[in-house]
Structure formats: structure tokens, C-alpha cells
């Protein structure tokens, strides 16, 4: 019988997310997420038991449709997501006077809003059967200290820190 339990790793088509997905694949089934199918497939090919891993293509900058797309993915694959690692990130180093509404939207959509939507979907019993047990958000120490040209990135990571703290209280002890 195939194991239906998976860990979703956003931003796993490159960087830290790729390393985490490959490492987790030694002991778990993984959903490799990204925007580029070729990159996702390269990561899956580098995973243990690559035939058991799934590709999830979604642009987290367009979080408005994410709830429906992720719900349909879980139902179509007939899987349960027990763990969620949010590695996806967008950083555009700009001085405050150079920011724009579109950069603000991209930064917060990718780094914060999408994480909140994904957690919402994974908590829905009709979609994920109450399977979520673990949530990990990759943040940055810049959220506590700040730096020149990092105001948006820092603020979005501070938001993910706040989301994590509140969810830890709200979802304990069932989800950690």
C-alpha cells in the first residue's frame, strides 16, 4: 500500500528548499513546489524514491487562487499533507524611496500571504483530513534587526514570525 502522507516544501525548486526536500525524501514523501517544472523535476530526480515524490507548480505571488489550486491538488492526488515547510521567498533589495506597490505585493504575497493560505488549506478536514501535524516557516534574523534596502523583506519576515507565534498558540498541541 502506498504511503499517502507527504510533506509540502514550498520554494523547493532551488536553494535551501531544494536541500530540505532532498534531505526529507530520505525518510518521507515530499511535494516539491516551485514555478518551473524543469527545476522541480531536477530536484525530484535528486530525491530518494523519486517515483514517490510529487511536483506542485504554483506561483505564490498570485496567492488569490492558491487555496483552490492546492485543495484540488490534494484531492486529485488522494494524499494527506502532514508537514509544511515554507521556504519560498522573494527578496528585492531596494531603498525605501525606490519601492513600488508591485514589489510590496510580490514580497508579502510570496513570503507571508501564501503561507497563511497554505496553512488554512492544510487545516481543512474536507481537504486534508485533519492530517497537518508540523509547520515550519523559514524566516531571517533580518526580521529582528533590519538593514538598509531590506525594509520590505524584513517586514515580510517579521510577519511570518508573528504568524508562527500565533499559530503555535492557536493550533497547539495538535499541530506544532
Amino acid at each position: 500500500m502506498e504511503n499517502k502522507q507527504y510533506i509540502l516544501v514550498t520554494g523547493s525548486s532551488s536553494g535551501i528548499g531544494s536541500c530540505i526536500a532532498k534531505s526529507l525524501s530520505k525518510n518521507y514523501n515530499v511535494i516539491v513546489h516551485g514555478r518551473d517544472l524543469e527545476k522541480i523535476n531536477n530536484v525530484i530526480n535528486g530525491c530518494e524514491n523519486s517515483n514517490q515524490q510529487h511536483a506542485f507548480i504554483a506561483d505564490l505571488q498570485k496567492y488569490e487562487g492558491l487555496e483552490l489550486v492546492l485543495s484540488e491538488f490534494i484531492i486529485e492526488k488522494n494524499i494527506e499533507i502532514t508537514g509544511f515547510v515554507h521556504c519560498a521567498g522573494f527578496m528585492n533589495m531596494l531603498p525605501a524611496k525606490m519601492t513600488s506597490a508591485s514589489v510590496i505585493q510580490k514580497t508579502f504575497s510570496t513570503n507571508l500571504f501564501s503561507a497563511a493560505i497554505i496553512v488554512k488549506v492544510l487545516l481543512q478536514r474536507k481537504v486534508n483530513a485533519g492530517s497537518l501535524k508540523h509547520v515550519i516557516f523559514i524566516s531571517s534574523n533580518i526580521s529582528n534587526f533590519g538593514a538598509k534596502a531590506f525594509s520590505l523583506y524584513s517586514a515580510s519576515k517579521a510577519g511570518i514570525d508573528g504568524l508562527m507565534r500565533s499559530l503555535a498558540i492557536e493550533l497547539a498541541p495538535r499541530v506544532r
Side-chain angles (χ1 to χ4, degrees), residues 126-137:
K126 288 183 179 180
V127 175
N128 199 39
S131 300
L132 186 63
K133 302 288 183 241
H134 311 281
V135 177
I136 298 170
F137 295 142

Side-chain angles (χ1 to χ4, degrees), residues 71-139:
S71 297
E72 289 175 346
F73 176 85
I74 294 167
I75 292 166
E76 175 190 316
K77 299 289 185 187
N78 190 29
I79 59 174
E80 297 172 356
I81 298 178
T82 59
F84 169 41
V85 182
H86 188 60
C87 289
F90 178 80
M91 179 177 60
N92 193 348
M93 292 177 50
L94 290 171
K97 66 183 179 182
M98 301 293 293
T99 60
S100 66
S102 67
V103 173
I104 294 168
Q105 183 68 35
K106 287 178 184 177
T107 303
F108 278 83
S109 295
T110 304
N111 299 351
L112 177 60
F113 302 158
S114 62
I117 295 293
I118 291 169
V119 169
K120 177 189 177 199
V121 170
L122 298 181
L123 290 170
Q124 294 174 355
R125 290 200 181 277
K126 288 183 179 180
V127 175
N128 199 39
S131 300
L132 186 63
K133 302 288 183 241
H134 311 281
V135 177
I136 298 170
F137 295 142
I138 304 299
S139 184

Side-chain angles (χ1 to χ4, degrees), residues 13-114:
S13 62
S14 64
I16 294 169
S18 171
C19 294
I20 290 173
K22 290 175 184 175
S23 181
L24 286 171
S25 74
K26 295 174 185 171
N27 297 303
Y28 304 95
N29 294 325
V30 177
I31 299 167
V32 178
H33 162 265
R35 294 178 291 177
D36 183 321
L37 183 58
E38 185 177 339
K39 287 182 178 181
I40 291 170
N41 285 334
N42 286 338
V43 173
I44 288 175
N45 289 335
C47 287
E48 301 284 326
N49 303 309
S50 60
N51 60 330
Q52 294 178 2
Q53 314 313 334
H54 288 302
F56 178 58
I57 302 169
D59 185 348
L60 301 184
Q61 292 178 12
K62 299 176 175 93
Y63 70 91
E64 296 89 355
L66 183 59
E67 184 173 351
L68 179 62
V69 170
L70 181 57
S71 297
E72 289 175 346
F73 176 85
I74 294 167
I75 292 166
E76 175 190 316
K77 299 289 185 187
N78 190 29
I79 59 174
E80 297 172 356
I81 298 178
T82 59
F84 169 41
V85 182
H86 188 60
C87 289
F90 178 80
M91 179 177 60
N92 193 348
M93 292 177 50
L94 290 171
K97 66 183 179 182
M98 301 293 293
T99 60
S100 66
S102 67
V103 173
I104 294 168
Q105 183 68 35
K106 287 178 184 177
T107 303
F108 278 83
S109 295
T110 304
N111 299 351
L112 177 60
F113 302 158
S114 62

